[in-house]
Amino acid sequence: MRRSSFASMECPIAGALDHVGEWWSLLIMRDALDGFTRFDEFEANLGIAPNMLTRRLRALSDDGLLERVQYSTKPARYEYIVTEKGRDLRPVIIALYLWGIKNTADEARNVVLVDQVTGSEIVPEFVDHHSGRPLSSMRAEFVAGPDASEEMRRRLNPDSRRTRRDRHKAQRSTT
């Protein structure tokens, strides 16, 4: 079953999901960023069906996150090298790791993020580039950008947003 595209939604999050919104894509990119490059490595590590892996690798290559490079001619064999666009996905993978250990994992520490050079554990925190403040402590919100359509401006209208928040506050105070 083919899913529909989010391209018309005018939202960077929806646009990103068009490229990596399928869970196998993120797991393949996680492994590719960890140095896996060959079909059989992905297949063995992920336990993914070959036909699904073929489709996902093709999509990730077509989207420019991986580059398909031939490493053998007889038989023809390819490896999948992470591109700069693919490397830009690393913070997203780390954000999912951080969210996962905080909200879904049990007490076991099966995976730990470390610095490749020192081996020291990394405790990621995402901060605003300008202020240095942690994003988790900021009251960030999305606003319509200068090129937004009228529909996007309507959806992100500050007055409508305030009404929704007030409604939510009222519902919480009655429960």
Side-chain angles (χ1 to χ4, degrees), residues 3-19:
R3 67 172 173 79
S4 59
S5 172
F6 298 135
S8 66
M9 292 182 109
E10 293 185 70
C11 173
I13 296 168
L17 289 173
D18 256 352
H19 297 280

Side-chain angles (χ1 to χ4, degrees), residues 19-35:
H19 297 280
V20 294
E22 197 275 332
W23 66 65
W24 283 119
S25 296
L26 287 172
L27 293 174
I28 291 167
M29 288 305 300
R30 175 203 64 191
D31 284 1
L33 288 163
D34 199 30

